[in-house]
């Protein structure tokens, strides 16, 4: 059994969750709205009310959070499309069958769930497309005397490798070897 890497990427490039930091982004944009509000109070008279200022800050936060999520989703979708092109090019080269190419949804399932997709080469099995996730070792945690965990665990970067695994079929090579041995005079 042999493996060949097609492509590798980290969870910073694509993790399938464009909205993972929504609460912190939303709060940050509310603060920006409250900072921007007093400046705009000089020019816009209705903003001189605290309720209107609060509504302005929340609406600003909603708008900018939606824009940030949309931009991140677009970036991740573009990366996934490029990943699908790379995988499909390799699959087409190996199998020679355009029907074996994966849709964008199938590539996302492969990467997200780590599926194993069997492929046929001229009707013979033994080729599998697999996504392997490699997590780094967990950092040691510092513990105080009262057993509270002191250290914080940073965002763990997960590396995902898309590999082609080749397993020769049992009936292929051994049968050929037996045929050669039977045909060879001793």
């Amino acid at each position: 059994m042999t493996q060949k890497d097609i492509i590798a990427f980290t969870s910073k490039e694509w993790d399938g969750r464009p909205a993972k930091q929504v609460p912190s982004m939303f709060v940050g944009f509310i603060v920006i709205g409250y900072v921007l509000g007093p400046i705009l109070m000089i020019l816009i008279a209705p903003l001189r009310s605290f309720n209107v200022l609060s509504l302005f800050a929340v609406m600003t936060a909603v708008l900018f959070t939606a824009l940030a999520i949309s931009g991140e989703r677009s970036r991740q979708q573009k990366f996934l499309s490029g990943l699908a092109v790379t995988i499909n090019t390799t699959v087409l080269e190996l199998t020679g069958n355009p029907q074996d190419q994966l849709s964008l949804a199938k590539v996302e399932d492969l990467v997200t769930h780590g599926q194993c997709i069997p492929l046929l080469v001229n009707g013979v099995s033994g080729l599998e497309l697999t996504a392997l996730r490699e997590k780094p070792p967990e950092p040691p945690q510092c513990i105080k005397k009262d057993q509270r965990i002191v250290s914080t665990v940073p965002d763990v970067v997960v590396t995902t490798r898309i590999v082609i695994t080749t397993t020769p079929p049992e009936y292929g090579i051994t049968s050929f070897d037996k045929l050669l041995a039977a045909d060879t005079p001793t």
Side-chain angles (χ1 to χ4, degrees), residues 6 80-92 95 97-111 115-120 128-131 162-164:
I6 296 175
L80 190 64
S81 295
L83 183 66
V85 167
T86 303
I87 291 171
N88 284 331
T89 301
T90 304
V91 167
L92 185 61
T95 65
N97 187 359
Q99 276 83 23
D100 288 339
Q101 292 183 334
L102 306 176
S103 67
L104 198 58
K106 191 74 171 173
V107 170
E108 187 173 357
D109 283 345
L110 171 75
V111 173
Q115 297 176 344
C116 182
I117 300 173
L119 299 170
L120 298 176
E128 293 178 342
L129 184 65
T130 311
I162 307 296
V163 298
I164 291 283

Side-chain angles (χ1 to χ4, degrees), residues 5-10 13 79 83 86 132 134 158-163:
D5 286 357
I6 296 175
I7 192 168
F9 60 93
T10 65
E13 294 173 293
F79 179 81
L83 183 66
T86 303
L132 304 174
E134 301 169 352
V158 177
T159 301
T160 304
R161 293 183 311 129
I162 307 296
V163 298

